[in-house]
Amino acid sequence: MGQAIGSQKARPEVMDVKKGIMHLLTEIRQLEHELDEAKSSGNDAEVKRIRKKLEVLRDSLKKWSHLLQLFQDQWGGEG
């Protein structure tokens, strides 16, 4: 009477949130690499700028992760 549980597709909202999370993780990894380079070169202004960006991105990541959890709770872990 419908699809098997294993073949259900995730809701578009869940997929959008997951894509957003993956994008944030990619940006964070890139900035962490840039931070290491700035530290190595002794560029304190650049280190400060990158740390601020990382703080903002990590805060966004927490919010997106919370949103994903809300969606999964609402739709019974779908996605």
Side-chain angles (χ1 to χ4, degrees):
M1 206 200 238
Q3 298 176 333
I5 291 178
S7 65
Q8 286 181 342
K9 286 191 169 188
R11 292 180 175 268
E13 299 91 339
V14 173
M15 293 306 297
D16 288 345
V17 171
K18 285 183 176 183
K19 286 178 187 174
I21 289 171
M22 294 305 296
H23 178 74
L24 283 170
L25 288 171
T26 301
E27 283 190 54
I28 289 170
R29 282 189 204 108
Q30 177 63 33
L31 280 175
E32 286 173 341
H33 177 72
E34 290 177 25
L35 179 62
D36 289 342
E37 289 178 356
K39 284 180 182 178
S40 295
S41 68
N43 188 342
D44 293 339
E46 186 70 2
V47 168
K48 186 177 180 179
R49 184 190 68 79
I50 293 171
R51 282 187 175 152
K52 182 63 180 167
K53 277 184 150 181
L54 280 170
E55 180 183 328
V56 170
L57 288 174
R58 288 177 178 143
D59 186 53
S60 293
L61 181 60
K62 288 178 190 175
K63 291 175 183 175
W64 280 80
S65 296
H66 181 71
L67 181 60
L68 179 60
Q69 185 62 53
L70 290 174
F71 279 159
Q72 289 175 331
D73 290 349
Q74 179 180 348
W75 294 312
E78 187 176 324

